[in-house]
Amino acid sequence: MILPIVQAGDPVLRAPARPLSLDEIQSTAIQQLIADMRETMRAAPGVGLAAPQIGLGLQLAVIEDALEYQANATPDELAEREREVVPFSVIINPVLTLEPGAPVEFFEGCLSVDGWMALVPRAAAVRVEALDENGRDVRLTARGWHARILQHEIDHLHGTLCVDRMDPRTLSSHPNYSKFWRGHTVADVRAALHAPPR
Ligand code: ZN
């Protein structure tokens, strides 16, 4: 079942989500929720969806960066973003650790801030400890776009939206992103929008 996606302004997006117990993870209700969130994410389409985005304050997110989503990006864009296919995965009760190093900036959007994108700085690499859909411990390391998706989704579980981290001077509608900024360097975007590096 495709679930309605909550938009910014709904307090559920600002509240810290609660962790799930092992019993809950293995329950029919949560297994069905995971299936519905996968369907909702694919229908949107999006590369990640966190439970607060469908109105539930639970520490659960689904992630998938399928090859077909990358079809519109040029090889240069994929390489610059270190964007590679991420198979469908579920993270529950995640603990995020940012690897040291300079943050990287790219345009980023959110299904709960529908229609808008902005430059958002993110750590280039992260480690995550979490439970998977079966309640098993998973430890993963990620770089590039996968690391960005993880940071974005785990932010949702703490009531943080990408608008809290974006440079607001770079806010662009999707049509204007395509018209003006796709394929341009961050430096060019910043110069054209009079948005000095922060
Ligand atoms: Zn989001």
Side-chain angles (χ1 to χ4, degrees):
M1 184 171 64
I2 295 173
L3 305 166
I5 296 177
V6 165
Q7 292 299 310
D10 189 314
V12 72
L13 290 172
R14 291 316 199 164
R18 73 164 177 85
L20 287 169
S21 70
L22 269 181
D23 282 349
E24 283 180 302
I25 293 168
Q26 289 158 354
S27 69
T28 310
I30 293 295
Q31 293 299 313
Q32 185 60 51
L33 174 64
I34 290 168
D36 289 345
M37 287 177 64
R38 179 175 59 204
E39 193 179 347
T40 302
M41 171 177 67
R42 286 176 175 172
V47 294
L49 185 71
Q53 294 184 274
I54 44 101
L56 296 175
L58 304 173
Q59 288 187 23
L60 164 67
V62 295
I63 287 173
E64 180 178 50
D65 197 0
L67 191 61
E68 59 259 38
Y69 298 159
Q70 302 177 8
N72 292 331
T74 66
D76 281 352
E77 285 172 329
L78 294 174
E80 188 182 39
R81 286 160 180 71
E82 298 183 76
R83 185 171 175 182
E84 293 175 358
V85 169
V86 179
F88 177 78
S89 55
V90 177
I91 51 169
I92 296 171
N93 306 345
V95 177
L96 174 73
T97 305
L98 306 182
E99 297 289 7
V104 286
E105 276 190 314
F106 288 109
F107 274 95
E108 182 179 312
C110 177
L111 296 174
S112 295
V113 188
D114 195 23
W116 298 93
M117 301 176 81
L119 287 177
V120 179
R122 296 282 188 189
V126 299
R127 283 180 288 132
V128 174
E129 290 179 40
L131 301 177
D132 70 8
E133 64 272 35
N134 301 307
R136 285 190 290 247
D137 284 312
V138 288
R139 287 159 191 268
L140 55 104
T141 58
R143 290 193 52 80
W145 209 251
H146 188 196
R148 178 171 293 267
I149 298 167
L150 286 163
Q151 289 170 79
H152 180 115
E153 299 311 326
I154 294 171
D155 267 355
H156 273 301
L157 306 182
H158 298 285
T160 297
L161 297 177
C162 57
V163 296
D164 305 337
R165 301 190 185 278
M166 73 180 183
D167 181 342
R169 288 195 67 93
T170 65
L171 186 68
S172 295
S173 67
H174 280 183
N176 278 342
Y177 170 74
S178 296
K179 181 177 176 182
F180 294 107
W181 310 127
R182 175 181 287 281
H184 288 260
T185 65
V186 166
D188 285 351
V189 172
R190 286 198 164 284
L193 290 174
H194 300 267
R198 302 201 300 175

